[in-house]
């Protein structure tokens, strides 16, 4: 076990042990359900207000960084006139425990804007997959608002075994979005947790397949978390962006400035 991992687990143990309540790693009774559907409906209700420019907050890998998470959430709330909704790109928990999911809900609610949440590899530990499905909904999902399409894809291959990630689902979602964008305009943004070019998880063929899909279907940005540092790369007209952890007291802001594929900017906001 490396030092960073040891410290994360030690911090979590101290936090859980000092909170004055008992918890069980087998607890699977979410206090809230279908949160992504609720928040997506809230985003769609904003459609008439999403005039250019408008912004979307991007966070990831909140894990055990509770103090910095609170500061980032407060900053996003203060910026809500521009940040109309947010994405959490996964790893809201460290070990997939119900209590960690509940803490994440409290912090994300503090933003006072709709937050759409993806599953990360840490969130799939323990009974985390069952809790995520109960609390947030489907692992793969997509929605459209104000002409822009957001495709959220579970690409945690190690944690989900054979059949993961579901490439057929991704291509079908991209094709559906592209058919609409090619006639009506708009943008396509793809979100997943693991970077597509993680050499430990994906082969060179997987990397090429992903990039070919992004390029062929005119994707504007492909966003992920997992690596904790903010990283930007542009390949064949597609912006590949890693959303860093809130531990760095920062978040990313995606601002849509117009109806075309390239009409957006992504900037780091320090808290």
């Amino acid at each position: 076990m490396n030092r960073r991992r040891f410290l994360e687990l030690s911090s979590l143990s101290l936090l859980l042990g000092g909170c004055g309540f008992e918890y069980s790693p087998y607890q699977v009774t979410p206090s809230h359900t279908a949160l992504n559907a609720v928040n997506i409906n809230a985003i769609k209700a904003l459609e008439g207000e999403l005039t250019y420019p408008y912004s979307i907050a991007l966070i990831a890998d909140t894990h055990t960084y509770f103090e910095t998470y609170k500061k980032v959430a407060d900053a996003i709330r203060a910026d809500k006139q521009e940040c109309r909704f947010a994405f959490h790109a996964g790893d809201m928990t460290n070990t997939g425990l119900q209590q960690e999911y509940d803490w994440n809900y409290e912090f994300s609610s503090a933003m006072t804007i709709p937050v759409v949440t993806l599953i990360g590899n840490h969130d799939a530990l323990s009974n985390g997959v069952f809790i995520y499905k109960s609390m947030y909904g489907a692992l793969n999902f997509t929605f459209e608002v104000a002409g822009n399409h957001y495709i959220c894809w579970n690409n945690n291959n190690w944690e989900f075994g054979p059949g993961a990630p579901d490439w057929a689902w991704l291509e079908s979602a991209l094709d559906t979005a592209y058919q609409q964008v090619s006639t009506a305009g708009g943008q396509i943004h793809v979100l997943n947790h693991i970077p597509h070019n993680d050499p430990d998880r994906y082969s060179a063929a997987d990397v090429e397949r992903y990039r070919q899909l992004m390029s062929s279907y005119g994707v504007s940005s492909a966003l992920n978390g997992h690596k904790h540092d903010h990283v930007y790369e542009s390949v064949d007209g597609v912006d590949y962006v890693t959303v860093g952890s809130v531990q760095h007291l920062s978040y990313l802001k995606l601002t849509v400035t117009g109806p075309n594929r390239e009409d957006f900017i992504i900037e780091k906001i320090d808290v």
Side-chain angles (χ1 to χ4, degrees):
M1 178 182 293
N2 63 41
R3 182 174 182 273
R4 174 176 158 187
R5 178 69 171 149
F6 173 78
L7 290 173
E8 285 180 345
L9 292 176
S10 298
S11 298
L12 180 62
S13 298
L14 288 170
L15 183 62
L16 290 171
C19 286
F21 62 84
E22 295 182 359
Y23 77 99
S24 168
Y26 306 106
Q27 182 184 1
V28 287
T29 54
S31 55
H32 298 81
T33 59
L35 287 173
N36 277 341
V38 169
N39 284 312
I40 288 170
N41 285 337
I43 293 168
K44 287 180 174 289
L46 296 172
E47 185 152 17
E49 303 174 24
L50 297 180
T51 55
Y52 307 124
Y54 66 88
S55 298
I56 303 161
L58 305 172
I59 63 171
D61 296 272
T62 50
H63 287 300
T64 58
Y65 308 114
F66 300 114
E67 183 177 351
T68 53
Y69 191 4
K70 182 181 185 302
K71 291 178 180 177
V72 170
D74 289 344
I76 291 172
R77 181 180 68 248
D79 196 25
K80 67 182 296 183
Q81 289 301 110
E82 291 189 20
C83 288
R84 308 310 305 276
F85 59 97
F87 283 100
H88 190 310
D91 275 4
M92 68 194 98
T93 74
N94 204 45
T95 54
L97 298 180
Q98 177 69 68
Q99 182 60 66
E100 294 176 287
Y101 273 97
D102 290 342
W103 282 327
N104 179 78
Y105 172 77
E106 292 178 18
F107 283 111
S108 63
S109 296
M111 298 182 213
T112 66
I113 56 175
V115 182
V116 177
T117 304
L118 285 72
I119 191 168
N121 60 305
H122 280 261
D123 305 323
L125 301 177
S126 304
N127 289 306
V129 175
F130 179 86
I131 297 169
Y132 178 90
K133 288 180 178 179
S134 299
M135 199 163 181
Y136 290 95
L139 301 174
N140 298 316
F141 58 96
T142 182
F143 69 96
E144 178 270 330
V145 64
N148 290 343
H149 298 256
Y150 302 94
I151 297 173
C152 301
W153 183 50
N154 170 34
N155 71 336
N156 298 289
N157 54 349
W158 288 354
E159 292 72 23
F160 288 85
D166 190 339
W167 289 95
W169 182 92
L170 175 62
E171 184 158 12
S172 177
L174 285 166
D175 184 67
T176 299
Y178 181 75
Q179 296 304 321
Q180 296 181 40
V181 167
S182 62
T183 56
Q187 301 169 9
I188 303 172
H189 299 275
V190 176
L191 300 97
N192 39 254
H193 181 65
I194 307 292
H196 74 284
N197 57 352
D198 186 321
D200 293 327
R201 288 185 177 246
Y202 305 117
S203 67
D206 290 331
V207 174
E208 178 59 29
R209 182 178 187 180
Y210 187 85
R211 288 185 173 179
Q212 184 64 35
L213 286 172
M214 299 300 105
S215 177
S216 298
Y217 286 102
V219 169
S220 291
S221 77
L223 307 161
N224 62 266
H226 189 60
K227 289 298 186 181
H228 287 222
D229 292 323
H230 301 297
V231 179
Y232 170 83
E233 179 184 25
S234 182
V235 180
D236 296 330
V238 181
D239 283 0
Y240 293 91
V241 180
T242 294
V243 181
S245 169
V246 296
Q247 73 187 97
H248 300 300
L249 276 175
S250 62
Y251 64 96
L252 297 186
K253 181 191 289 188
L254 187 161
T255 301
V256 181
T257 59
N260 301 312
R261 176 185 179 183
E262 68 279 2
D263 292 340
F264 71 97
I265 58 173
I266 296 177
E267 57 187 323
K268 181 170 76 77
I269 306 297
D270 293 315
V271 174

